[in-house]
Amino acid sequence: MSDLSKIIVIAGTNASGKSGLGVRLAEHYGGEIVSADSRQVFRGLDLGSGKIAPEETRGVPHHLIDVCDPGDFFSMHDFQRLAYDAIDGILARGRLPFLVGGTGLYVASVTEGYVMSDNPPDLQYREYLETFETPKLYEMLLAALPDTDVEPKNRNRVMRLLEKLHAGDNHVPGNQPRYQCLKLGVTWDRETLRARIDERLERRLNQGMIEEVQGLIDRGVSLEFLKKLGLEYRFITQYLTGEISSKEEMVELLGTAIKQFAKRQMTWFRRDKDITWLDMTGDPVGQAVGLIDRFID
């Protein structure tokens, strides 16, 4: 893969500081950032998605933020296509691309080079697949594709292959990576991360996160769409519609859900043995610069 163009990946959990680190590193190298976050692609989803504020970008160009309207259908395939376009554009300008985010599938779709069909999704078949537990889905995949090498517990990947086969795409090629990636991981010890999550949640609530969700509802964004976004948008919508009786209960439930989600993010990223985890208690910028210098040399 030495002939592949090089990109830097900064992945990690919620409230880990990966966005800020990405800006500092991209600024240092004159690079540009491609966001890998499944909610930041939507316009108007700012505080709830943890979208970087314009003044926090320090002039570093950011891509794949605010590319579609709330309620629009946006798939992993859409993300991969736009991410490839953005990364190739950055490389063509002679600059270093930084893929920064916490949506594991979005990151992997680019770094692993998932091969995806152009067929539109069969939502009815997807709903049917969702009724099965992951071991059963893997059993179904083995029956249709006995030589598959997909990880049995990777529910999303198993479902995606079943959908491809259902669509008549019987040739399911392996991954086709387009880039050589240096993967850097960002997180903290459990107690520090929990405290950072609580602090960030309080700050965003004070900045108007509840009002942001109310504004989306007032503009006609469907309650179903907001709930499907999960976490901040789901719990605040439930609070605003009376499904959760008090703000205090909502904040407690939401804080717990974010921490559980961060744990799942960590489980996902820990599977990737190519990620080098930065020491956030030391000098993560200096550590990262050393690794990047050797990588791009």
Side-chain angles (χ1 to χ4, degrees):
M1 299 201 324
S2 59
D3 59 333
L4 299 181
S5 298
K6 296 179 179 181
I7 71 171
I8 312 301
V9 179
I10 302 175
T13 57
N14 274 3
S16 61
K18 56 186 178 294
S19 296
L21 179 65
V23 166
R24 294 181 67 184
L25 291 171
E27 186 179 36
H28 178 81
Y29 288 97
E32 301 182 26
I33 289 176
V34 177
S35 169
D37 186 290
S38 61
R39 301 187 300 175
Q40 292 183 7
V41 298
F42 295 105
R43 301 181 188 94
L45 275 62
D46 301 330
L47 290 169
S49 70
K51 194 177 295 178
I52 191 167
E55 64 272 14
E56 295 172 330
T57 66
R58 300 168 68 97
V60 173
H62 281 62
H63 305 269
L64 269 68
I65 291 178
D66 295 340
V67 297
C68 59
D69 291 324
D72 287 351
F73 178 77
F74 190 90
S75 67
M76 179 172 63
H77 192 184
D78 294 323
F79 170 80
Q80 185 196 54
R81 173 176 52 81
L82 293 175
Y84 281 165
D85 288 346
I87 291 170
D88 291 345
I90 296 168
L91 291 168
R93 290 188 288 277
R95 309 189 76 179
L96 184 61
F98 286 79
L99 181 67
V100 181
T103 301
L105 273 174
Y106 280 17
V107 173
S109 73
V110 173
T111 61
E112 305 305 315
Y114 287 174
V115 177
M116 290 180 271
S117 170
D118 288 326
N119 294 327
D122 184 336
L123 299 182
Q124 187 173 1
Y125 183 65
R126 183 173 297 174
E127 289 179 2
Y128 166 74
L129 293 179
E130 288 286 6
T131 64
F132 296 99
E133 297 294 328
T134 303
K136 178 60 179 177
L137 291 173
Y138 184 68
E139 181 183 324
M140 294 162 62
L141 179 61
L142 281 179
L145 198 68
D147 61 346
T148 182
D149 60 355
V150 69
E151 164 61 43
K153 294 182 181 179
N154 190 336
R155 180 179 180 87
N156 289 293
R157 176 73 170 146
V158 170
M159 286 182 62
R160 187 159 59 84
L161 290 181
L162 284 169
E163 289 182 39
K164 285 169 69 75
L165 293 168
H166 178 72
D169 187 355
N170 293 317
H171 174 61
V172 185
N175 296 337
Q176 297 178 3
R178 292 177 55 158
Y179 312 109
Q180 187 177 356
C181 305
L182 174 65
K183 302 177 185 178
L184 305 178
V186 181
T187 193
W188 300 79
D189 66 85
R190 181 173 178 271
E191 291 308 313
T192 301
L193 184 60
R194 290 172 66 88
R196 288 176 64 92
I197 288 172
D198 286 338
E199 185 278 329
R200 188 177 76 157
L201 177 56
E202 181 179 8
R203 171 164 37 89
R204 288 156 71 189
L205 287 168
N206 290 337
Q207 289 172 332
M209 188 161 59
I210 293 175
E211 291 78 6
E212 174 178 290
V213 178
Q214 183 64 64
L216 291 166
I217 294 172
D218 293 344
R219 292 199 296 274
V221 177
S222 75
L223 300 180
E224 180 184 12
F225 173 78
L226 291 169
K227 290 178 182 178
K228 282 186 175 180
L229 290 170
L231 297 179
E232 293 86 354
Y233 293 101
R234 176 160 69 93
F235 284 93
I236 292 175
T237 297
Q238 290 176 327
Y239 163 62
L240 291 172
T241 58
E243 294 177 59
I244 296 176
S245 59
S246 69
K247 179 180 177 181
E248 292 72 22
E249 181 186 7
M250 181 272 290
V251 172
E252 182 177 354
L253 291 171
L254 175 54
T256 299
I258 295 173
K259 291 164 190 168
Q260 291 171 339
F261 178 70
K263 183 178 179 180
R264 292 195 297 273
Q265 284 179 301
M266 200 66 227
T267 299
W268 171 280
F269 288 123
R270 287 290 189 195
R271 293 196 195 108
D272 189 341
K273 302 306 180 184
D274 292 331
I275 293 179
T276 299
W277 293 94
L278 301 175
D279 179 8
M280 299 303 290
T281 63
D283 178 16
V285 174
Q287 183 186 1
V289 166
L291 292 165
I292 294 171
D293 283 348
R294 288 192 292 275
F295 177 69
I296 63 177
D297 185 23

